[in-house]
Amino acid sequence: TDRYPLAAAVFTERGISRPGEPVYAKAIVRNGNLGTLTVPARTDSLHWIFQDREGSTLREVTVAPTAFGTSAQSFTIPAGSPLGSYSVRLQLKR
């Protein structure tokens, strides 16, 4: 009862990328409680947010999930970017 009725996994194809290289991210999203998960409706949207190590937004895009409740995006880390941890966030709008 203390969690949102939503489950998601966001992952990249590689754990380390260099500045100037693309990052390929994928997501699997499900609605509902554990044990009764369903694919999001086609009218739902997924909002991808790519951020640098200071938390500044580098790219945002909103897309519809596939019929399987998945999504994929790519983003090229700007050349000359400092080394460090960058983040990918995903939001679901129903």
Side-chain angles (χ1 to χ4, degrees), residues 13-62:
E13 70 173 21
R14 297 185 323 191
I16 297 175
S17 298
R18 295 184 182 117
E21 290 184 345
V23 174
Y24 299 99
K26 297 180 181 181
I28 303 169
V29 180
R30 298 290 184 265
N31 285 322
N33 294 313
L34 294 177
T36 59
L37 296 173
T38 60
V39 175
R42 292 290 289 174
T43 56
D44 292 350
S45 62
L46 301 173
H47 184 75
W48 289 86
I49 304 165
F50 293 84
Q51 294 178 312
D52 66 13
R53 63 186 202 167
E54 283 82 32
S56 298
T57 299
L58 298 171
R59 179 171 184 251
E60 289 185 72
V61 63
T62 301

Side-chain angles (χ1 to χ4, degrees), residues 39-40 42 65-70:
V39 175
R42 292 290 289 174
T66 68
F68 303 104
T70 61

Side-chain angles (χ1 to χ4, degrees), residues 6-9 44 55 63 74 90 92-93:
L6 175 70
D44 292 350
V63 298
S74 64
L90 186 67
L92 174 69
K93 182 175 181 181

